[in-house]
Amino acid sequence: MKEAVFFDFDGTIADSSEGIMECALETVEPLGYDKSKYSKDYLRRFIGPPLSDCFRITFAVEEDKIQECVERYRVLYNAKGMYMMHVYSDIPELLKTLRSMGIKTAVATNKMKELAERCCKNLGIYDLFDYISGPPRDGGVTKAQVITLALEALGLEKEDVLMVGDTVNDEKGAEVAGVDFIPVTWGFGFNKENTAEGKRADQPMDILKYLGGGEDD
């Protein structure tokens, strides 16, 4: 039986797409980008990676403009973007169920730790986590390192943890950190077409099947 479940935030715990996409477009508009050219489907790639990589991958922003974009985006997101989100249905129920089973819960996100904590508080789910792990304000932390920070903070071994996420960035981070991973199909990356049935979660409560110690594992 796993002793803890770590969750990505954007696209796994909460649908934060509206605020992220709006702030991303407003960030690059002063650089001459036409906001009308980018569909919501295309902008999904902005969600998940570290923020600096988001501007490289999604908009091909020149390197000397990356930090400027990161700083402008953070101002916009703190002002309004972080309030444009909602928790996915059944996530609070899942978290309460895990904690009633004695299983620790943590957030492992590429959002800055302070921002992730504020988002969880705004959504009313902060007290449902034992730890929230994210990079410090100066950034420079990979997803694998974020996971490792949570492992160390909670005093857990790699084999005791299940990482849950909605993108390849989450999957690769879990692989590098050495923890088991389950993709979810309600977020921004994985879906029922690109993940194997029986090794994915199509709804939050499905995660209970992958904790080990039972017939469904």
Side-chain angles (χ1 to χ4, degrees):
M1 176 73 74
K2 296 296 184 184
E3 294 185 16
V5 180
F6 292 178
F7 295 85
D8 172 55
F9 187 85
D10 298 305
T12 302
I13 292 171
D15 183 350
S16 51
S17 58
E18 181 181 1
I20 291 174
M21 292 176 184
E22 182 170 320
C23 292
L25 290 172
E26 287 189 25
T27 295
V28 298
E29 188 176 27
L31 298 179
Y33 288 80
D34 181 358
K35 294 195 299 183
S36 66
K37 290 175 56 177
Y38 301 97
S39 67
K40 287 186 177 180
D41 186 59
Y42 178 84
L43 290 171
R44 284 173 173 263
R45 69 190 64 193
F46 191 88
I47 304 171
L51 196 51
S52 57
D53 288 341
C54 291
F55 288 105
R56 293 186 184 96
I57 294 167
T58 310
F59 301 107
V61 173
E62 295 179 2
E63 284 300 314
D64 62 351
K65 296 290 184 181
I66 292 290
Q67 189 57 36
E68 174 187 338
C69 286
V70 168
E71 293 174 1
R72 183 185 299 132
Y73 174 89
R74 284 176 176 164
V75 170
L76 289 168
Y77 193 80
N78 282 325
K80 66 175 183 178
M82 65 179 293
Y83 303 104
M84 301 166 66
M85 66 174 69
H86 63 270
V87 178
Y88 287 110
S89 177
D90 291 337
I91 285 292
E93 179 185 356
L94 171 63
L95 294 170
K96 291 174 183 176
T97 299
L98 290 170
R99 291 167 70 83
S100 72
M101 297 168 63
I103 295 173
K104 295 182 183 297
T105 56
V107 175
T109 177
N110 282 126
K111 280 187 182 302
M112 289 188 298
K113 178 179 173 66
E114 179 185 356
L115 178 57
E117 290 173 343
R118 290 170 58 197
C119 288
C120 287
K121 289 176 181 177
N122 290 339
L123 294 170
I125 57 174
Y126 180 80
D127 291 336
L128 296 179
F129 294 102
D130 294 286
Y131 188 73
I132 295 178
S133 183
R137 185 166 295 277
D138 59 0
V141 177
T142 67
K143 191 55 169 262
Q145 290 171 320
V146 166
I147 294 170
T148 300
L149 286 170
L151 283 169
E152 293 172 350
L154 295 174
L156 297 165
E157 300 297 330
K158 297 175 181 179
E159 60 270 20
D160 297 329
V161 172
L162 177 68
M163 176 68 197
V164 177
D166 69 304
T167 68
V168 171
N169 184 59
D170 302 319
E171 183 177 35
K172 289 181 177 178
E175 181 180 0
V176 173
V179 302
D180 289 338
F181 177 78
I182 286 294
V184 305
T185 60
W186 59 78
F188 308 127
F190 298 115
N191 55 51
K192 293 181 181 179
E193 286 67 46
N194 63 19
T195 53
E197 188 172 2
K199 195 62 175 178
R200 70 186 189 217
D202 295 326
Q203 53 190 2
M205 299 306 285
D206 286 348
I207 293 166
L208 298 175
K209 299 186 297 185
Y210 301 105
L211 299 178
E215 295 180 359
D216 291 324
D217 182 57

